[in-house]
Amino acid sequence: MALTADAASVVDIPYSVLDASSSSSGASATELDDALSKAFGPGGLGILTVSGVPDFEKLRGALLPLAREFAELPDDAKQKYEDEKSFYAFGWSHGKEKLSDGKFDTHKGSYYNNPVEDRPCDDDELMERHPSYLRPNVWPAVELPALEPSFKNLGTCIVNVGQKLLRHCDAYVRSRKGDDRASSLERAVSDSRCHKARLLYYFPVSAVDGSTKQDTWCGWHKDHGTLTGLVSARFTDAAGSEVPNPAKDAGLFIRNRAGEVTKVNIPKTSLAFQIGESAQVASGGLLRATPHCVCPGATPTVGVDRSTFAVFMQPSFDYVMSVREEDASSVQTDVDRWSPGVTFGEFTERTLNKYY
């Protein structure tokens, strides 16, 4: 099966090719190498899709409707699942994030949890020092018991596919660096207990209060982790029926290194993966993260909501972000928050301090 690109030049890798051994040879290995270069290399958009993932459509279909179900619970019920100690990085978060104008964002709500580890740490001191990574998961077992298994099932699927993709990214970097000194992206992710998944619900715009103008759903930024897994958004009308995206100018936009902005469409049947700055550092710049944002369109449609899901695959907070000595200067130029010996936790703090 050939690798393809849609009108937005997004490379697609069939899961059957991705699932092959990284030591495979022949046409599929050559295609895969070319695909990674086109998608994640210096001239790429920093994103690709993976099609044909077993059970993916069923898992997506089971989770995304639950974003609306939880958001429609009474406020006092939802507040039980807020975790202030983690700075709202676990459980329900609504109206806690600030937009570019300094106002709190009430247009969307998020449900955060670790998709693979319910309790990644039993050390109270470590949890106190790194609450946004190591706090235990929070689940609405009474109000919405289906959320936990559906969230974990889709999250685990995305992490597993992501690890396969990173295995090939490692081989791609080794083949160009000529040795094994580059840090292993697959190992950094597979050894980590700090992954984070986010179920997002964008509330329908109301004509009553005149709130038809929104800030960007997510402003321009680069992902600072290793790899981000994304699914196509689900839109529903006031009756709860799924509808097509009503705003053709809404969605994910990516800016390449030439400054050109491209709208990217993720098929409902495919997973998308964006490369992050941690992978850029570890690869010595062979893999490049790109700036991107999510926009609601010039005139959001009244009465239509949006649900989606993202999984942030990232190293552990104490992972040292090392690079080959000869790559250090160029890496620091492109990723100014990196410095020799910095841990991923420190890198995250520098990122948040710069952008938030």
Side-chain angles (χ1 to χ4, degrees):
M1 187 181 297
L3 301 174
T4 60
D6 66 14
S9 301
V10 177
V11 171
D12 180 72
I13 300 176
Y15 180 78
S16 58
V17 174
L18 190 69
D19 196 36
S21 167
S22 60
S23 62
S24 61
S25 58
S28 64
T30 300
E31 284 185 319
L32 185 53
D33 196 69
D34 289 344
L36 293 175
S37 178
K38 291 176 182 177
F40 292 160
L45 287 174
I47 190 170
L48 57 75
T49 57
V50 177
S51 56
V53 176
D55 296 323
F56 167 69
E57 292 181 68
K58 179 179 70 175
L59 298 177
R60 175 186 174 274
L63 176 62
L64 292 192
L66 301 181
R68 176 177 178 146
E69 286 195 41
F70 185 87
E72 291 181 339
L73 291 175
D75 288 342
D76 58 348
K78 290 182 288 190
Q79 287 169 3
K80 292 192 300 183
Y81 303 103
E82 295 179 346
D83 185 19
E84 185 177 3
K85 290 184 178 179
S86 71
F87 305 102
Y88 303 98
F90 285 90
W92 177 244
S93 174
H94 179 224
K96 310 300 181 184
E97 302 174 47
K98 287 186 178 180
L99 298 171
S100 59
D101 60 5
K103 295 180 181 179
F104 285 101
D105 179 10
T106 58
H107 292 299
K108 69 175 178 287
S110 301
Y111 208 101
Y112 294 97
N113 267 332
N114 186 321
V116 294
E117 296 275 355
D118 263 329
R119 189 177 179 87
C121 176
D122 290 318
D123 187 319
D124 291 338
E125 183 179 345
L126 276 179
M127 276 193 280
E128 184 74 21
R129 287 170 51 196
H130 305 282
S132 63
Y133 294 109
L134 299 179
R135 294 275 296 168
N137 282 342
V138 181
W139 299 111
V142 175
E143 290 85 354
L144 194 60
L147 181 60
E148 178 180 355
S150 298
F151 192 106
K152 288 179 175 177
N153 289 341
L154 181 55
T156 300
C157 169
I158 293 173
V159 170
N160 288 341
V161 177
Q163 288 179 348
K164 292 178 185 292
L165 177 59
L166 290 174
R167 183 180 310 154
H168 291 289
C169 288
D170 281 340
Y172 170 82
V173 172
R174 285 196 302 269
S175 70
R176 280 153 176 76
K177 292 295 185 181
D179 57 40
D180 294 330
R181 284 185 292 155
S183 300
S184 170
L185 301 171
E186 182 191 12
R187 188 178 309 118
V189 165
S190 63
D191 289 349
S192 175
R193 307 184 75 182
C194 297
H195 305 310
K196 185 64 63 70
R198 182 183 191 184
L199 179 64
L200 293 116
Y201 180 74
Y202 298 85
F203 291 88
V205 174
S206 170
V208 175
D209 61 10
S211 59
T212 56
K213 180 173 176 56
Q214 299 180 40
D215 200 309
T216 55
W217 279 333
C218 184
W220 286 102
H221 68 287
K222 295 179 184 178
D223 290 351
H224 72 281
T226 302
L227 190 68
T228 302
L230 304 168
V231 306
S232 179
R234 181 178 190 265
F235 297 85
T236 54
D237 61 19
S241 300
E242 186 169 2
V243 297
N245 182 353
K248 301 306 179 186
D249 58 345
L252 176 64
F253 292 80
I254 296 176
R255 186 169 63 237
N256 66 19
R257 293 180 67 82
E260 301 164 332
V261 176
T262 299
K263 183 178 183 293
V264 172
N265 297 313
I266 304 172
K268 291 170 61 174
T269 56
S270 299
L271 266 172
F273 290 96
Q274 286 185 282
I275 203 72
E277 289 180 307
S278 294
Q280 181 170 333
V281 170
S283 68
L286 280 177
L287 309 174
R288 298 292 184 99
T290 50
H292 54 279
C293 70
V294 184
C295 295
T299 306
T301 304
V302 172
V304 174
D305 63 17
R306 178 181 187 267
S307 303
T308 191
F309 187 65
V311 177
F312 305 97
M313 287 158 273
Q314 54 197 19
S316 291
F317 63 91
D318 55 354
Y319 173 83
V320 178
M321 299 175 64
S322 60
V323 301
R324 295 155 46 114
E325 184 176 352
E326 57 266 38
D327 294 328
S329 178
S330 61
V331 165
Q332 194 159 28
T333 298
D334 288 334
V335 186
D336 60 0
R337 285 151 288 114
W338 178 85
S339 59
V342 71
T343 65
F344 180 72
E346 293 166 339
F347 181 70
T348 299
E349 291 177 2
R350 294 176 184 180
T351 300
L352 296 178
N353 288 337
K354 178 175 181 177
Y355 291 112
Y356 300 99

